[in-house]
């Protein structure tokens, strides 16, 4: 009887989905569908609740944001979550970030710092290490391509102007931007951020591929070195 009851509870999210649609499912029920099964002592919905609570137990964000911050080993530390289930959950998290980014991309122009910040916010704000992205745009300020330049602490040796402008020339970029995150959540530019920006801007002026801005992403906030007045006024050659 207990096994039958547990099976029924595990199937409830599917039944609810078919009857009302995914928007009526709780966060735990959505995750339960991804998990598919629980354990002998814990159905899939209860297992999902344990996952959602894991973040707060480890001093990180709880709820759905847990999936952004939690590692595979931490997920697998929960009884009933093996490697396959853990990888499935992390892949869904990555898909959600990419879908949000892709839906925002079409037709936008990177003319305002807030537009750039919104585009990269979900990709960068949850990272625990600094990541620097080179953004290349066309003459209408629309995205041609972006690429990760470095992961880890930003420093002068990593951000090589030569590599940046080789990529920009290869893509026939008209403008470039730099975007990176501060894992602390505070986007206030450091002295090193400012120095790097000036170094790249000097090279940009020589090659006539302007550095439009350097955006620093914090926790749901950002700083624009252009808006803060740290970008030097461009001189005509």
């Amino acid at each position: 009887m207990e096994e039958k009851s547990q099976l029924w509870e595990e199937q409830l999210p599917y039944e609810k989905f078919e009857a009302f649609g995914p928007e009526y499912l709780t966060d735990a029920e959505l995750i339960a569908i991804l998990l598919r099964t629980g354990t002998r002592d814990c159905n899939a919905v209860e297992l999902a609740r344990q996952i959602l609570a894991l973040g707060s137990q480890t001093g990180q964000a709880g709820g759905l944001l847990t999936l952004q911050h939690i590692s595979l080993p931490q997920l697998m530390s929960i009884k009933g979550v093996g490697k396959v289930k853990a990888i499935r959950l992390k892949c869904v998290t990555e898909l959600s970030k990419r879908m949000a980014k892709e839906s925002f991309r079409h037709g936008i122009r990177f003319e305002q710092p807030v537009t750039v910040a919104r585009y990269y916010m979900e990709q960068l704000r949850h990272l625990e290490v600094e990541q620097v992205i080179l953004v290349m745009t066309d003459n209408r300020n629309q995205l041609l391509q972006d690429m990760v330049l470095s992961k880890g602490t930003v420093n002068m040796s990593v951000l090589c102007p030569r590599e940046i402008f080789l990529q920009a020339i290869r893509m026939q970029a008209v403008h470039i931007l730099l975007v990176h995150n501060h894992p602390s959540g505070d986007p206030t530019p450091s002295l090193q951020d400012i120095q790097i920006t000036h170094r790249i801007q000097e090279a940009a002026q020589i090659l006539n591929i302007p550095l439009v801005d350097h955006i620093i992403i914090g926790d749901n906030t950002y700083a624009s070195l252009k808006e803060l007045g740290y970008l030097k006024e461009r001189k005509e050659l």
Side-chain angles (χ1 to χ4, degrees):
M1 182 65 70
E2 285 187 14
E3 290 184 3
K4 185 175 181 180
S5 174
Q6 179 177 325
L7 180 61
W8 171 247
E9 288 185 23
E10 289 180 348
Q11 291 301 321
L12 279 178
Y14 291 90
E15 303 264 342
K16 192 172 178 181
F17 179 98
E18 290 179 338
F20 304 107
E23 62 271 21
Y24 284 89
L25 271 61
T26 65
D27 294 345
E29 288 169 337
L30 286 168
I31 293 173
I33 288 178
L34 295 172
L35 295 172
R36 297 180 63 185
T37 60
T39 66
R40 178 182 293 275
D41 303 316
C42 175
N43 64 49
V45 176
E46 180 55 38
L47 189 57
R49 293 193 186 106
Q50 291 182 36
I51 293 170
L52 292 173
L54 187 59
S56 57
Q57 294 170 9
T58 55
Q60 303 176 30
L64 285 176
L65 288 180
T66 294
L67 298 178
Q68 294 275 11
H69 297 285
I70 219 71
S71 66
L72 280 178
Q74 287 173 315
L75 278 170
M76 292 165 61
S77 70
I78 299 177
K79 184 180 179 182
V81 181
K83 182 180 287 188
V84 171
K85 287 180 178 177
I87 289 175
R88 186 182 297 143
L89 290 174
K90 294 300 289 184
C91 285
V92 168
T93 303
E94 180 62 24
L95 274 173
S96 68
K97 289 194 296 185
R98 295 188 189 189
M99 288 171 67
K101 185 177 175 183
E102 191 66 22
S103 64
F104 187 64
R105 173 177 178 171
H106 295 290
I108 67 168
R109 295 186 180 184
F110 285 2
E111 295 175 323
Q112 301 297 327
V114 65
T115 304
V116 181
R118 284 178 58 198
Y119 185 76
Y120 290 99
M121 183 64 68
E122 289 308 307
Q123 177 180 347
L124 294 177
R125 65 183 285 238
H126 303 292
L127 298 181
E128 296 178 2
V129 297
E130 290 191 11
Q131 187 174 107
V132 184
I133 295 176
L134 169 64
V135 181
M136 295 165 279
T137 61
D138 61 16
N139 61 348
R140 300 178 62 194
N141 294 303
Q142 291 184 321
L143 181 64
L144 288 171
Q145 186 176 331
D146 58 18
M147 61 174 293
V148 175
L149 291 175
S150 72
K151 294 181 180 180
T153 302
V154 180
N155 58 61
M156 291 290 191
S157 62
V158 172
L159 289 186
C160 174
R162 181 176 181 275
E163 175 64 21
I164 289 172
F165 290 101
L166 279 176
Q167 295 296 334
I169 292 169
R170 183 175 65 84
M171 290 302 301
Q172 299 183 354
V174 178
H175 314 96
I176 61 170
L177 302 92
L178 293 176
V179 183
H180 87 274
N181 64 303
H182 280 179
S184 66
D186 180 0
T188 303
S190 67
L191 176 60
Q192 194 170 53
D193 293 333
I194 297 166
Q195 290 173 337
I196 290 171
T197 302
H198 287 167
R199 185 184 182 203
I200 302 302
Q201 190 180 28
E202 287 171 1
Q205 183 172 331
I206 293 171
L207 293 171
N208 200 29
I209 305 176
L211 175 66
V212 176
D213 206 344
H214 184 170
I215 306 290
I216 302 174
I217 302 295
D219 187 7
N220 212 27
T221 184
Y222 75 94
S224 158
L225 270 72
K226 178 182 178 181
E227 289 182 334
L228 292 172
Y230 288 118
L231 256 69
K232 299 175 182 178
E233 183 176 350
R234 187 185 178 204
K235 299 176 183 179
E236 295 297 329
L237 296 177

